[in-house]
Amino acid sequence: MRVITCLFTEHNLWLVLLAAAMCLVGSGVTMHLYRRTLENKRAEKLGWLFLTAVCAGSSIWATHFIAMLGFQPGVPVTFDAALTLVSMILAIAGTALGLSIAATKFSRFANLVGGGVFGLAIAAMHFTGMFAYRVDGLVEWDQAYVTASIILSVGLAATAFWAVERWTTGAKAFIAPGILVLAIVALHFTAMAAFLVTPIAGIEVGADSAAFRAMALSVAIAALVIIGTGVSSYLIDNRTREESDEQLRHMALHDPLTGLPNRTSFNAYLDAKLASGQADGLAVIGIDLNRFKEINDIWGHAAGDAVLCALAERLKAFVGQHHFAARLGGDEFSVVLNTDSRMALQERVDAIEVMFNEPIRYGEFDSATGASLGIAVFPHDGEDRDALVRNADLAMYKAKLDPMMDVCFYDTELGDEVRERRALANDLRHAIEQDELEVHYQVQTSIETGEIRGYEALLRWTHPTLGRIGPDQFIPLAEANGLILPLGEWVLQRACRDAAAWENDYKVAVNLSAVQLTHSGLARQIQQVLIETGLPVHRLEIELTETALIKDKVQSLHIMRQIKALGISVALDDFGTGYSSLDILRTFPFDKIKLDKSFTEELESDHRSLAVVRAILALAKSLGIPVLAEGIETLNQLDLLRDEACDEGQGFFLGRPAPLDALTGLEESLLASPALRRSAGA
Ligand code: C2E
Ligand code: CA
Ligand code: CA
């Protein structure tokens, strides 16, 4: 009760209102800044702590001081300057201590302890301020009120610091500042109620209230300036936070090189589209550049980056606001087209294809990468994101495999085909250990005499459920799935071991795939196999196709020289089917040319084929390289080739590829064959 009377009868209400305003603003800002202190770490935390303490201390001190000026004890009043200053320092230092304790989080109760200290600081400031307050009268302190004021201040401040972490958003964020206001106000007026002044009779009454008001105003302004500094720091920090948040968001959703949306945004976009219920006819296009690796290898990564950026710019311009383009990684892009008709879709797909084939200028060079496009359309080719993306990828993969095709639309058959291939590749993985592989041998003979020169090792796979699968089918599969190296090594080992056991010293010819030829340890591996199996080097022949060589000419030539340096001969397989057979002959030091079976096949029917064969034989002769004709199926073909002085032959007529145990006795049967004898003798 005395508190209320004290407030209304012994105070100048205007100054009390000013003090109240100061208290409200100060508490609000203090709690806001304190929250920011909690969010920060290390150096920033200290900075915010300092700012919070300065704001808290000066606003609380100003509140107290203005309210003091509004106190009308009915006697003349003066202030002790030094003690007033001490009270202000106490306010700032004390609140700083409380805030630091609360912010350290040393225990679960750190905020309560810190809040309590904060409350004590308010009390200490208040009573020091009161000692600075000099009145011409008898001063008495009511102990009960003093104790009550301190308990209230400590308790409420502790509650405020508990609340500031409990409620942080919305209207509830104002609970903590509210309690803090209560702590300050309760302390002040309860403590003032404890302060009893009895005027000494005969002394002039009243203080210079105009001077007090001016002082109050200056203190309020100074405190507001300090609070304003805190608020503006807070706002500036908010702004930079928003900006860096925005920057982070952009970085998380975009590819840093090209600025195109990345896979995360692509997924989000597609999900949103599909969820909108207006996705009918939406097409997902998987795009993979065809010659990006080449550009990177030849011109360097800076050129590669420039190409990617140029293409990204084209894509951005192309998709505009209506469609969507993203870079999913490396040289992989994706476009989502929102079209309503198949015709419109086709038009746009054509445009994208053209776009990737248009040359890009880099320095003095023009280059076009080209791209393989795979398309899946909602809902026919997939009803959710995963299915659409997977099927677009399948179609793209198909387009990639076919050098004549840049664009492929998904269809269910394609899915089945790819699934089958995957399953088969998986089975092939286990074929070696399951003992499903076998090497067959096909004889190679001298055409002139019919005598055996060697055997070509040809790989056979008997699948447990599908039966015989031809090497034309599973060798490319092995190449595409990284299985060709173990497979190739297995064949080499088996062929060499078999041949080493033969009683005669026929050659054994082993086919090597393009992928094996890129393996830099190949020569060493072959040498190792020869040592292990004991096969003399001159009995091994390696067969290489032109396509295996032209992928990376420098590397192939290097490896081929290593193989030849071991003393192993190398034959050029399938001669005449490639693009630049003559060039290959010029560059690579072959020991034998294997004329492709397509020439042999047409020898009898097409006299122009005969002319070509004749020319090849003449060329080989001038280079000093012997020629073996493949695919001899008839006696007539054999005779024609003998007339042209072809050196060696291989084909069903001379002997079909057969398992090892069927080879014994072949020699006799060959020489015993009446047709051969007649042919050779003629
Ligand atoms: P290639 O190296 O040209 O092997 C000759 C192919 O022609 C063999 O087919 C053989 O059976 C077949 N052939 C032989 N004589 C005749 C004939 O008179 N008429 C006809 N039409 N064909 C004949 P195969 O065994 O199916 O092998 C196909 C291809 O698979 C081989 O062609 C070779 O490129 C590859 N290949 C086979 N085994 C291996 C291997 O162990 N490693 C590698 N990398 N490739 C292999
Ligand atoms: Ca061959
Ligand atoms: Ca061949």
Side-chain angles (χ1 to χ4, degrees):
M1 199 52 213
R2 205 155 94 207
V3 179
I4 311 284
T5 0
C6 159
L7 171 59
F8 285 103
T9 59
E10 298 172 6
H11 280 84
N12 172 334
L13 259 173
W14 286 113
L15 289 183
V16 168
L17 281 181
L18 183 62
M22 175 59 51
C23 183
L24 278 176
V25 175
S27 302
V29 172
T30 297
M31 283 316 195
H32 253 71
L33 292 178
Y34 177 63
R35 278 199 190 106
R36 182 56 47 93
T37 306
L38 291 180
E39 289 164 13
N40 277 286
K41 290 207 173 63
R42 279 188 275 275
E44 287 87 1
K45 192 175 192 121
L46 260 169
W48 284 106
L49 201 69
F50 175 76
L51 210 58
T52 315
V54 170
C55 261
S58 48
S59 64
I60 291 167
W61 179 82
T63 303
H64 159 84
F65 194 75
I66 296 168
M68 284 303 308
L69 293 173
F71 184 58
Q72 295 164 330
V75 291
V77 175
T78 53
F79 288 91
D80 179 308
L83 270 180
T84 305
L85 199 69
V86 169
S87 75
M88 184 161 123
I89 293 169
L90 264 179
I92 295 177
T95 51
L97 182 65
L99 286 162
S100 330
I101 293 174
T104 52
K105 294 271 165 30
F106 66 88
S107 97
R108 265 177 48 220
F109 304 110
N111 47 3
L112 290 179
V113 176
V117 171
F118 192 98
L120 269 180
I122 303 176
M125 178 276 302
H126 180 90
F127 291 111
T128 318
M130 287 309 291
F131 292 133
Y133 190 78
R134 296 283 153 79
V135 284
D136 283 349
L138 290 174
V139 173
E140 274 176 274
W141 288 94
D142 183 324
Q143 274 306 319
Y145 275 100
V146 170
T147 316
S149 74
I150 295 176
I151 291 174
L152 273 174
S153 172
V154 170
L156 284 168
T159 316
F161 274 78
W162 170 79
V164 73
E165 290 181 48
R166 179 96 172 70
W167 295 293
T168 54
T169 51
K172 285 188 174 164
F174 291 101
I175 293 179
I179 300 175
L180 187 61
V181 168
L182 220 59
I184 298 167
V185 170
L187 171 97
H188 184 86
F189 291 106
T190 316
M192 288 314 281
F195 187 68
L196 303 167
V197 183
T198 319
I200 299 166
I203 291 182
E204 233 179 282
V205 171
D208 184 350
S209 60
F212 272 23
R213 274 201 301 276
M215 190 135 84
L217 217 60
S218 335
V219 168
I221 289 170
L224 280 177
V225 168
I226 293 173
I227 293 171
T229 312
V231 172
S232 51
S233 313
Y234 183 84
L235 293 178
I236 291 168
D237 186 57
N238 260 3
R239 178 87 198 111
T240 39
R241 271 176 181 231
E242 272 167 24
E243 274 169 10
S244 59
D245 280 358
E246 175 57 31
Q247 222 166 2
L248 279 178
R249 229 173 61 86
H250 187 88
M251 269 163 61
L253 293 177
H254 290 78
D255 159 45
L257 176 66
T258 62
L260 275 178
N262 61 11
R263 189 180 289 275
T264 310
S265 353
F266 170 80
N267 288 347
Y269 177 85
L270 205 52
D271 285 342
K273 270 279 158 191
L274 294 175
S276 74
Q278 295 171 324
D280 271 13
L282 171 141
V284 174
I285 307 179
I287 303 172
D288 194 274
L289 303 188
N290 289 341
R291 284 177 297 278
F292 183 66
K293 193 180 173 306
E294 255 168 69
I295 292 177
N296 253 344
D297 288 351
I298 298 171
W299 294 346
H301 284 273
D305 286 354
V307 165
L308 289 175
C309 289
L311 291 173
E313 287 312 311
R314 286 183 196 170
L315 269 177
K316 282 180 206 165
F318 175 81
V319 296
Q321 298 294 315
H322 193 53
H323 310 288
F324 183 86
R327 178 176 177 221
L328 303 185
D331 59 347
E332 224 185 303
F333 296 88
S334 188
V335 169
V336 181
L337 288 180
N338 300 296
T339 50
D340 39 20
S341 74
R342 188 74 183 200
M343 224 169 65
L345 173 61
Q346 184 68 56
E347 262 172 33
R348 298 200 178 276
V349 168
D350 290 346
I352 296 177
E353 189 189 351
V354 169
M355 183 163 85
F356 278 94
N357 280 312
E358 248 167 49
I360 298 162
R361 182 133 271 256
Y362 181 74
E364 291 171 16
F365 304 98
D366 277 328
S367 83
T369 61
S372 300
L373 275 61
I375 300 137
V377 181
F378 178 86
H380 187 264
D381 302 336
E383 296 191 346
D384 56 31
R385 162 158 64 82
D386 274 354
L388 281 169
V389 170
R390 189 168 2 101
N391 291 340
D393 271 356
L394 282 184
M396 194 251 296
Y397 180 66
K398 173 93 176 170
K400 192 137 212 111
L401 283 183
D402 187 342
M404 305 310 287
M405 178 160 73
D406 270 352
V407 176
C408 176
F409 281 83
Y410 175 81
D411 65 44
T412 33
E413 255 169 55
L414 179 70
D416 294 344
E417 197 183 307
V418 173
R419 263 185 293 281
E420 269 166 32
R421 278 175 62 92
R422 288 222 174 114
L424 205 60
N426 208 32
D427 295 342
L428 185 57
R429 218 174 281 279
H430 307 293
I432 296 182
E433 61 208 60
Q434 309 273 4
D435 207 19
E436 293 163 10
L437 295 176
E438 206 184 344
V439 176
H440 282 197
Y441 295 92
Q442 186 177 31
V443 72
Q444 301 178 331
T445 66
S446 154
I447 287 190
E448 183 64 38
T449 64
E451 76 186 298
I452 296 175
R453 291 284 166 80
Y455 292 92
E456 179 176 2
L458 294 162
L459 191 53
R460 296 290 177 263
W461 179 24
T462 313
H463 188 277
T465 54
L466 300 170
R468 275 275 162 93
I469 296 172
D472 283 334
Q473 237 181 311
F474 71 80
I475 295 285
L477 200 62
E479 286 177 336
N481 290 279
L483 299 169
I484 192 67
L485 290 183
L487 218 60
E489 190 180 356
W490 185 85
V491 176
L492 190 71
Q493 213 142 26
R494 175 56 56 92
C496 290
R497 184 171 313 131
D498 286 351
W502 296 341
E503 284 160 4
N504 38 59
D505 60 353
Y506 300 141
K507 277 193 161 184
V508 65
V510 177
N511 294 284
L512 288 195
S513 108
V515 180
Q516 285 174 280
L517 212 60
T518 60
H519 175 47
S520 55
L522 182 68
R524 206 169 346 108
Q525 190 189 69
I526 295 176
Q527 190 180 26
Q528 190 62 34
V529 170
L530 287 175
I531 292 170
E532 279 171 19
T533 58
L535 185 75
V537 276
H538 69 269
R539 288 187 54 201
L540 178 62
E541 186 157 80
I542 295 296
E543 294 193 7
L544 299 174
T545 62
E546 183 190 321
T547 38
L549 298 167
I550 56 170
K551 284 219 167 129
D552 184 345
K553 275 194 182 180
V554 179
Q555 166 87 345
S556 317
L557 189 60
H558 180 63
I559 292 183
M560 183 171 165
R561 286 215 176 104
Q562 288 181 331
I563 295 174
K564 282 188 57 106
L566 293 174
I568 298 165
S569 56
V570 184
L572 176 55
D573 208 353
D574 301 344
F575 182 81
T577 55
Y579 296 105
S580 52
S581 303
L582 292 181
D583 186 45
I584 287 288
L585 274 185
R586 207 163 47 101
T587 320
F588 294 89
F590 281 104
D591 302 293
K592 186 191 273 184
I593 292 171
K594 294 189 76 179
L595 189 63
D596 190 66
K597 54 178 168 282
S598 57
F599 292 99
T600 313
E601 195 177 30
E602 288 177 0
L603 269 182
E604 299 162 280
S605 53
D606 183 358
H607 66 273
R608 277 187 305 185
S609 269
L610 187 61
V612 172
V613 169
R614 195 171 287 152
I616 291 173
L617 287 170
L619 172 74
K621 191 143 287 160
S622 68
L623 289 170
I625 308 175
V627 176
L628 178 146
E630 292 189 292
I632 302 174
E633 293 183 350
T634 66
L635 177 62
N636 194 23
Q637 287 168 343
L638 185 67
D639 286 340
L640 280 169
L641 286 162
R642 184 179 304 107
D643 291 346
E644 300 304 329
C646 181
D647 307 275
E648 294 179 4
Q650 180 181 348
F652 293 165
F653 180 74
L654 300 168
R656 287 184 176 263
L660 184 67
D661 46 14
L663 287 187
T664 38
L666 182 80
E667 190 175 358
E668 294 77 36
S669 78
L670 259 180
L671 290 174
S673 150
L676 253 181
R677 226 183 311 126
R678 179 161 40 87
S679 168

